[in-house]
Amino acid sequence: MRYSIVMALAAGIPLTGHAQEGDTSGAAMSYGQRPAYLVDKMPDGTLKDELSACMGQTPQRTAFSIGHRGAPLMFPEHTVQSNRAAARQGAGILECDVTFTQDKQLVCRHAQNDLHTTTNILTTDLAQACTAPFTPAQGEEKASAECRTSDITLEQFRSLTPKMDASDADAATAEEYQGGGVPWRTTLYSDGATLMTHAESIALFDSLGADFTPELKAPSVEMPFDGYTQEDYAQALIDEYKDAGIDPARVWAQSFDLADLRYWIENEPEFGKQAVYLMDEYDDETYDPNDPATWPDTMAELKEMGVNYIAPPMWMLVTLGEDGKIVPNALAKAAAEADVKIITWTLERSGPLAGGGGWYYQSIADAIDSDADTYELLDVLAQDVGVEGVFSDWPATVTFYANCKGL
């Protein structure tokens, strides 16, 4: 694997900042090399000058910077180590994507059915418990598997070893299937990583001085699951914050399912008023964020439901103006008019931007041709769209910008 980019990320310059009150991570916050690398690549101009002048500042934690599964550009997602890294980069809010095990215990995984790509389960005795066992590549058929947290108990889940999320579709063996990573991520920090339950994530994030944005993941199993309803599941997520004595004002619970938000708004109003609707309207081929006639719900209708926060992907908030510059689109303007706050995702997810940035940049691909565009987009999202926070796979990038701009 090539390490040219990720090794540049890894080489951090110690700064003089001190951990925030309540932060027991045991290390000062640091931007590392990534923000300076991005600023250096920017064309000369006002924004570059402003960001360059902030290079010597002391990092401060900011809620504008949200760790997306921790800091998975370099660390296995949803692990203790990934979230410690995100906190040390100044992320003020950390994420646990929540799903459940066979014995209905809440754990941090991006999907209920991702154990075959995010852990070593296929090379353990637990492989026989998987919903779909490993099948090697043969001819035109790619290698495949499906292993769910609901296939195993919490005790069995704890026995697994996390890894960078990847798989080799051409694998002939389960061991080979463990590979397949892209060259701009690294396995350098995977050894000894630790999985977390949702309750453990609450304790960890609190000790790091960060707030919380759990996402209730859509189950891969049919619900109810052994008598466990969707409402039971949504309530269990909130109950673990209540059991830990966490102030609801520190929690932004997320879901792609409006029914989950409605449940929280009605049954847990203190948590519901900060519940975040993750917008997946892009799954509808007729949807156009620039054409309100194609929206299943207007921003005003969502506000009337009690939804105060939306979280669309970045591309759903911006478009290109007549001059080819990045500008807010109709969705962003409608949210502002309806007083619906916006969080967006996910910066630093796409790797090098020389090829247009891929899915996360699709509405502005014609303006994306270099990593230098990272801060150009972030500036529009912050200053023109007015987002409340940005998820990133490398939170230092967002933290630096937010600190420089006083966000």
Side-chain angles (χ1 to χ4, degrees):
M1 179 178 289
R2 294 184 292 111
Y3 293 100
S4 56
I5 294 173
V6 294
M7 289 304 290
L9 288 172
I13 296 178
L15 297 177
T16 57
H18 297 283
Q20 297 287 297
E21 182 178 354
D23 184 343
T24 60
S25 61
M29 280 181 277
S30 171
Y31 297 131
Q33 291 291 329
R34 182 69 174 169
Y37 167 79
L38 295 173
V39 173
D40 286 347
K41 292 178 72 71
M42 294 176 66
D44 291 341
T46 302
L47 181 59
K48 181 176 183 176
D49 290 344
E50 185 176 0
L51 296 178
S52 296
C54 293
M55 286 300 171
Q57 68 185 2
T58 299
Q60 299 291 327
R61 191 174 319 288
T62 169
F64 189 82
S65 178
I66 306 172
H68 181 241
R69 316 182 206 178
L73 188 60
M74 294 180 66
F75 295 82
E77 63 187 46
H78 289 311
T79 60
V80 170
Q81 292 73 17
S82 186
N83 282 286
R84 284 191 179 277
R88 287 167 179 160
Q89 294 174 35
I93 302 176
L94 298 173
E95 178 186 44
C96 169
D97 289 331
V98 179
T99 188
F100 57 86
T101 58
Q102 188 180 79
D103 46 351
K104 307 179 187 71
Q105 300 300 303
L106 303 186
V107 296
C108 299
R109 288 290 88 198
H110 180 61
Q112 189 169 49
N113 62 341
D114 74 0
L115 294 181
H116 51 289
T117 64
T118 63
T119 75
N120 68 333
I121 190 169
L122 291 177
T123 61
T124 74
D125 291 341
L126 290 174
Q128 60 190 356
C130 292
T131 294
F134 171 73
T135 302
Q138 187 171 7
E140 295 184 359
E141 294 294 322
K142 297 297 185 180
S144 64
E146 184 181 0
C147 303
R148 302 174 176 175
T149 57
S150 53
D151 292 333
I152 58 177
T153 66
L154 176 58
E155 181 180 1
Q156 291 169 325
F157 174 81
R158 291 188 185 278
S159 73
L160 299 176
T161 299
K163 69 180 190 68
M164 295 297 283
D165 186 9
S167 61
D168 184 351
D170 296 319
T173 67
E175 288 75 13
E176 291 177 355
Y177 192 75
Q178 301 280 286
V182 293
W184 39 270
R185 293 198 177 109
T186 179
T187 58
L188 191 61
Y189 299 100
S190 295
D191 186 50
T194 309
L195 295 172
M196 296 187 297
T197 67
H198 177 232
E200 288 167 348
S201 80
I202 295 172
L204 176 66
F205 300 173
D206 194 34
S207 75
L208 295 172
D211 291 337
F212 316 86
T213 185
E215 179 187 340
L216 195 73
K217 301 303 295 190
S220 298
V221 295
E222 184 176 349
M223 299 292 275
F225 175 73
D226 189 27
Y228 191 57
T229 67
Q230 184 69 25
E231 291 76 16
D232 292 335
Y233 178 33
Q235 185 63 52
L237 181 148
I238 299 300
D239 285 346
E240 294 202 337
Y241 289 94
K242 295 167 72 174
D243 291 345
I246 300 298
D247 185 342
R250 297 178 61 196
V251 182
W252 287 262
Q254 312 170 71
S255 178
F256 280 103
D257 190 342
L258 268 175
D260 293 333
L261 271 76
R262 289 172 174 167
Y263 176 85
W264 290 327
I265 291 166
E266 180 177 352
N267 295 281
E268 293 287 353
E270 289 304 302
F271 289 90
K273 65 185 178 183
Q274 286 194 165
V276 181
Y277 174 42
L278 292 161
M279 297 182 68
D280 61 355
E281 280 80 355
Y282 50 77
D283 283 338
D284 183 344
E285 292 182 357
T286 66
Y287 176 78
D288 180 352
N290 270 309
D291 182 3
T294 68
W295 303 353
D297 301 289
T298 67
M299 295 298 101
E301 287 169 341
L302 288 175
K303 185 72 173 182
E304 181 65 24
M305 294 177 201
V307 176
N308 294 314
Y309 287 84
I310 59 170
M314 298 183 299
W315 69 265
M316 277 177 57
L317 295 168
V318 290
T319 188
L320 296 180
E322 293 183 0
D323 60 357
K325 301 293 186 181
I326 303 170
V327 295
N329 67 6
L331 177 64
K333 294 174 182 176
E337 291 171 1
D339 191 29
V340 174
K341 297 179 174 65
I342 304 172
I343 298 168
T344 193
W345 44 279
T346 302
L347 208 68
E348 302 283 38
R349 185 79 185 157
S350 298
L353 301 184
W359 189 86
Y360 291 91
Y361 298 81
Q362 59 187 277
S363 64
I364 55 171
D366 288 346
I368 302 298
D369 59 13
S370 166
D371 285 349
D373 298 317
T374 301
Y375 280 130
E376 298 288 351
L377 172 59
L378 186 55
D379 192 55
V380 172
L381 291 170
Q383 306 303 325
D384 300 330
V385 175
V387 299
E388 298 282 315
V390 178
F391 282 92
S392 178
D393 277 15
W394 198 246
T397 299
V398 178
T399 301
F400 170 76
Y401 174 87
N403 286 175
C404 188
K405 291 285 191 174
L407 301 178

